[in-house]
């Protein structure tokens, strides 16, 4: 077990670059699901591996072995290695659990504060308009979800572009995109290498909402202009009302790249991947699938090996 259990801890070194590269070649929605799924699976395998290391080391301790009626000589693994490894794994597992709890709590606290701050302003359907003159707009998840936009942002856009901007924010709410980001954040708390998936995931979610907005208003050019104009209005050096870090807004991410994608004809964007670099993408997809599959298989193999070792040790102890 001691060899197989390390594989899930190291596999993100290969899987994360492969996932980022493959996501660039996929449609936004598929890319978002790919990145989120990979983050969750790799984090799960990593957590399972740490748990197995802790269990393997704990079983070497005489009080635990006596409680489980185990024969220590048959447990295998050198206790000089497994017990310190279990201590380190236990510390890491505790740190992961604390980070996950804190990140989840901060997420919900930010959303509660944001909903309280918007509750005092008039709401029309799912739209909440803040009287702030600084341009800003974002999707605030909850029950019900709200599209929060400032008076400054509404004044900065003509009517058609306002419709595209609101459609973009509604797409974030309908797709529950904040849960994708939360999943990636929790996965990153379990393995630091998974933090590299956050930026491409945020971009994929923005592009997903861009495409939904373009389909809703029926004009990709108007949507591109809305995204570009909103980003210029809400420039980083301009004062803006506070908003939660967990929410998604139309001006996030690499806006020029998003605008360029929207200005690409939809039909060309759909069919371009079919004839450019298809073989390379298949190789990357195969490599990513192998990485994730090997990580999961290694964790399962380590768990089965530990279970078999415990059964043998219990049987020998019972025989004596």
């Amino acid at each position: 077990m001691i060899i197989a259990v390390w594989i899930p801890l190291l596999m993100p070194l290969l899987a994360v670059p492969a996932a980022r590269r493959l996501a660039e070649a996929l449609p936004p929605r598929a890319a978002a699901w790919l990145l989120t799924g990979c983050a969750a699976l790799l984090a799960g395998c990593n957590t399972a591996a740490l748990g197995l290391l802790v269990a393997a080391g704990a079983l070497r301790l005489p009080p635990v072995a006596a409680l489980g009626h185990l024969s220590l000589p048959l447990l295998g693994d050198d206790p000089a290695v497994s017990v310190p490894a279990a201590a380190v794994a236990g510390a890491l597992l505790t740190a992961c659990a604390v980070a996950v709890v804190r990140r989840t709590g901060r997420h919900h606290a930010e959303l509660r504060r944001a909903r309280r701050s918007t509750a005092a302003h008039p709401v029309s359907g799912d739209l909440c308009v803040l009287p702030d003159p600084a341009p800003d707009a974002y999707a605030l998840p909850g029950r019900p979800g709200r599209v929060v936009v400032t008076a400054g942002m509404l004044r900065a856009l003509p009517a058609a572009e306002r419709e595209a901007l609101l459609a973009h924010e509604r797409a974030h709410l309908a797709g529950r995109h904040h849960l994708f980001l939360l999943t990636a954040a929790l996965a990153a708390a379990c393995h630091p290498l998974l933090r590299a998936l956050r930026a491409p995931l945020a971009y994929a979610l923005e592009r997903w909402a861009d495409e939904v907005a373009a389909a809703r208003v029926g004009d990709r050019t108007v949507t591109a202009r809305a995204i570009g104009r909103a980003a210029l209005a809400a420039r980083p050096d301009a004062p803006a009302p506070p908003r939660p870090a967990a929410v998604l807004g139309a001006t996030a991410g690499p806006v020029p790249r998003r605008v360029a994608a929207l200005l690409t004809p939809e039909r060309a964007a759909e069919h371009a991947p079919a004839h450019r670099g298809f073989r390379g993408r298949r190789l990357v997809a195969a490599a990513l699938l192998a990485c994730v599959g090997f990580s999961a298989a290694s964790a399962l193999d380590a768990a089965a090996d530990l279970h078999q070792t415990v059964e043998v040790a219990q049987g020998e102890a019972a025989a004596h």
Side-chain angles (χ1 to χ4, degrees):
M1 185 197 79
I2 197 63
I3 296 176
V5 78
W6 293 103
I7 293 176
L9 304 177
L10 300 175
M11 197 53 67
L13 285 168
L14 300 176
V16 167
R20 288 172 60 98
R21 183 171 179 181
L22 183 59
E24 292 178 356
L26 293 176
R29 182 172 182 171
W33 279 104
L34 170 78
L35 293 167
T36 307
C38 283
L41 287 172
L42 291 171
C45 292
N46 174 80
T47 304
L50 290 176
L52 289 170
L53 282 171
V54 171
L59 292 175
R60 299 292 314 189
L61 300 175
V64 178
L67 185 64
H69 306 291
L70 305 175
S71 175
L72 283 175
L74 292 178
L75 282 174
D77 297 340
D78 185 357
V81 175
S82 59
V83 174
V88 174
L92 292 174
L93 200 57
T94 301
C96 290
V98 171
V100 166
V101 171
R102 291 182 62 182
R103 182 66 186 84
T104 305
R106 187 163 65 249
H107 173 82
H108 290 299
E110 287 179 349
L111 293 183
R112 281 196 301 271
R113 284 196 298 269
R115 292 191 71 82
R116 283 198 299 267
S117 67
T118 58
H121 300 285
V123 175
S124 175
D126 64 349
L127 182 63
C128 177
V129 179
L130 304 182
D132 202 295
D136 196 17
Y138 56 88
L140 180 61
R143 295 180 181 175
R146 294 275 185 259
V147 174
V148 181
V149 62
T150 64
M153 181 62 82
L154 293 177
R155 285 194 294 267
L157 303 179
E161 294 176 16
R162 284 200 298 268
E163 182 183 354
L165 181 73
L166 297 179
H168 175 100
E169 302 303 346
R170 290 186 175 110
H172 283 316
L173 293 176
R176 302 181 70 80
H177 291 173
H178 69 289
L179 295 181
F180 287 77
L181 287 179
L182 179 60
T183 301
L186 298 181
C190 297
H191 200 299
L193 289 178
L194 297 178
R195 294 174 187 169
L197 296 179
R198 205 278 180 193
L201 174 59
Y203 173 73
L205 293 173
E206 293 298 340
R207 284 284 300 118
W208 180 354
D210 289 344
E211 292 297 330
V212 172
R216 184 70 56 85
V217 301
D219 193 324
R220 298 177 67 83
T221 302
V222 168
T223 306
R225 284 204 305 266
I227 300 302
R229 200 188 304 271
L232 289 173
R235 60 188 187 277
D237 59 337
R243 60 158 144 156
V247 302
L248 288 158
T251 60
V255 172
R257 187 179 170 196
R258 291 168 53 200
V259 170
L262 281 168
L263 293 178
T264 301
E266 186 176 11
R267 189 175 298 276
E270 288 178 353
H271 294 288
H275 60 272
R276 287 206 306 266
F278 180 66
R279 183 176 181 180
R281 281 190 291 275
R282 285 196 303 176
L283 291 176
V284 174
L288 178 60
L289 182 62
C291 288
V292 175
F294 195 36
S295 181
S298 298
L300 291 173
D301 180 62
D305 184 52
L306 179 62
H307 178 69
Q308 183 178 8
T309 300
V310 169
E311 285 190 333
V312 171
Q314 285 178 331
E316 185 66 20
H320 287 82

